[in-house]
Amino acid sequence: MARIIVVTSGKGGVGKTTTSASISTGLAKRGHKTVVIDFDVGLRNLDLIMNCERRVVYDFVNVIQGEASLNQALIRDKRVDTLYILPASQTREKEALTREGVEKVINELSETFDYIVCDSPAGIEHGALMALYYADEAIVVTNPEVSSVRDSDRILGILQSKSRRAEMGQDPVKENLLLTRYNPSRVEKGEMLSVADVEEILAIPLLGVIPESQIVLNASNQGLPVILEAESDAGQAYDDAVARLLGEEREHRFMSAQKKGFFSRMFKGD
Amino acid sequence: MRLLDYFKSKKSNNTASVAKERLQIIVAHERGQRDQPDYLPQLQQELLAVIRKYVQISDDMVQVEVDRNDSCSVLELNVTLPES
């Protein structure tokens, strides 16, 4: 039985796809057979972030509608051989993702995979609801910013009422907070919500904090999951998050600003 | 100017604490509504219509809320009557 993890947020542009790519790559790198599914029908982008956009032949909706087999649609990652990508359809209507169709695909994947990572579209419409419906666990990606935090709280409410686990009265979906685009020096100046602030408002366990970093854009430019930039702060922060997801204890890092000397602040500014 | 900025930045106004306060209020409010049963808005409208047969009141003068405890739920109805 695979463990099903949804990466969700409500708000767009906070780093869901970046996170899905890195978390799935991290799980696969540790030897777990992992598939990452793009649920954003019509606005496919996971393929670009994973650098397999030119290898897409069949997609998720083709499989649901019986036009292709799973094996035909799954793309094997060229860097990590236990990682597969199931791309979203670029042309179909979002309603093509039926609950029965998604269930059929997830059940089939469950037979051979250890982890199924579902990359949710933004919003709280059909695609987002389908992405979270079958989840055992959720990674709620949040930026330290008012609209993102509010939308995350909304998505938490939906996880608690509209997921399969909620409807069946089973144990609730396990919730994890992943704070992304965190800028410790702005937090210290009182310009940005701190980790503690967001934890206090959302009241869910913290999986990790990803510092705002130029490396994230550089990595996506090249179709490289940022976790593979093993020297970078963001890459290491994602690696820590994967370790914690697997039950390892790791201290949180990158949460305080690099101290600047008096003179560099005086003459170079920040 | 940099020197001036350095000293000024020490007491720059803390917008993060404003953000936190605003979020705590709106999130608490929305969580309250999330747990309310779906029929509540219509119930409120119908109650309003009944009361208006006898007293002229405006929409915001009737508050309907459900409080859930472990063993039972309490339907709380607050009607503010205009001063006569």
Side-chain angles (χ1 to χ4, degrees):
Chain A
M1 269 303 277
R3 188 146 183 89
I4 304 167
I5 303 172
V6 62
V7 177
T8 186
S9 70
K11 190 173 183 301
V14 296
K16 282 184 296 299
T17 302
T18 300
T19 297
S20 300
S22 278
I23 296 286
S24 57
T25 303
L27 288 168
K29 252 181 59 187
R30 280 157 202 262
H32 302 288
K33 200 175 173 201
T34 305
V35 56
V36 56
I37 309 178
D38 190 348
F39 273 79
D40 205 346
V41 172
L43 293 169
R44 163 166 89 205
N45 274 320
L46 182 68
D47 55 339
L48 266 180
I49 300 300
M50 302 288 292
N51 198 21
C52 63
E53 70 276 13
R54 290 192 298 176
R55 294 165 66 206
V56 176
V57 183
Y58 294 109
D59 58 54
F60 194 11
V61 173
N62 290 138
V63 178
I64 287 176
Q65 301 191 334
E67 296 156 355
S69 71
L70 252 181
N71 280 334
Q72 286 176 301
L74 285 174
I75 302 171
R76 188 176 196 164
D77 190 80
K78 288 200 166 161
R79 296 155 295 218
V80 187
D81 63 7
T82 46
L83 178 61
Y84 291 78
I85 298 117
L86 183 56
S89 166
Q90 197 54 316
T91 50
R92 315 272 178 137
E93 295 287 310
K94 283 199 196 303
E95 281 62 34
L97 293 182
T98 60
R99 192 176 277 189
E100 297 71 30
V102 174
E103 183 174 24
K104 200 188 87 188
V105 172
I106 284 185
N107 284 345
E108 202 178 328
L109 289 169
S110 279
E111 290 168 14
T112 49
F113 284 91
D114 301 321
Y115 286 94
I116 301 174
V117 176
C118 303
D119 181 19
S120 173
I124 50 171
E125 303 300 315
H126 184 74
L129 296 180
M130 283 299 107
L132 67 79
Y133 188 72
Y134 294 99
D136 299 310
E137 193 158 341
I139 297 175
V140 180
V141 183
T142 307
N143 289 169
E145 179 265 323
V146 285
S147 52
S148 176
V149 175
R150 182 198 206 172
D151 291 359
S152 291
D153 192 67
R154 187 102 164 79
I155 262 306
L156 286 168
I158 292 172
L159 281 163
Q160 289 155 12
S161 62
K162 296 200 173 147
S163 61
R164 178 175 61 172
R165 282 177 171 271
E167 284 185 1
M168 301 284 184
Q170 297 168 337
D171 290 342
V173 177
K174 184 166 182 263
E175 299 157 342
N176 302 281
L177 170 64
L178 187 76
L179 201 57
T180 57
R181 295 193 161 177
Y182 194 67
N183 187 330
S185 72
R186 297 201 75 180
V187 172
E188 280 169 24
K189 285 187 212 153
E191 296 174 353
M192 182 180 271
L193 290 164
S194 70
V195 181
D197 292 340
V198 180
E199 277 187 280
E200 189 185 329
I201 294 162
L202 294 179
I204 61 170
L206 181 68
L207 179 69
V209 179
I210 313 297
E212 183 165 55
S213 167
Q214 300 187 340
I215 204 86
V216 176
L217 179 60
N218 278 323
S220 79
N221 285 342
Q222 307 167 69
L224 187 70
V226 70
I227 196 169
L228 294 176
E229 295 277 19
E231 303 293 308
S232 69
D233 49 0
Q236 289 173 18
Y238 271 117
D239 192 66
D240 286 354
V242 172
R244 290 187 202 107
L245 199 60
L246 293 169
E248 237 176 85
E249 293 271 339
R250 285 224 186 159
E251 211 172 309
H252 288 280
R253 300 190 274 171
F254 316 113
M255 281 165 45
S256 51
Q258 297 282 331
K259 286 279 172 284
K260 280 190 178 176
F262 178 80
F263 281 101
S264 73
R265 287 174 72 165
M266 202 68 19
F267 298 109
K268 294 186 195 137
D270 38 271
Chain B
M1 282 313 283
R2 294 264 185 240
L3 195 69
L4 207 64
D5 287 347
Y6 179 72
F7 290 108
K8 251 174 35 189
S9 72
K10 289 286 175 195
K11 53 175 181 185
S12 76
N13 48 353
N14 190 325
T15 55
S17 60
V18 179
K20 185 182 178 186
E21 206 173 300
R22 291 174 62 217
L23 272 169
Q24 281 173 321
I25 293 166
I26 191 68
V27 163
H29 176 72
E30 287 176 347
R31 279 182 194 159
Q33 286 193 328
R34 191 190 291 165
D35 301 330
Q36 302 287 4
D38 300 337
Y39 59 73
L40 224 57
Q42 205 189 339
L43 177 66
Q44 178 157 356
Q45 284 310 310
E46 288 180 22
L47 283 169
L48 203 61
V50 171
I51 296 166
R52 277 203 186 127
K53 281 188 189 170
Y54 307 94
V55 196
Q56 268 315 304
I57 56 170
S58 63
D59 284 14
D60 56 352
M61 291 164 92
V62 173
Q63 303 272 329
V64 188
E65 268 167 51
V66 175
D67 266 339
R68 286 205 184 131
N69 297 321
D70 291 338
S71 53
C72 65
S73 301
V74 177
L75 179 72
E76 194 182 308
L77 178 63
N78 257 310
V79 185
T80 316
L81 293 178
E83 287 178 39
S84 49

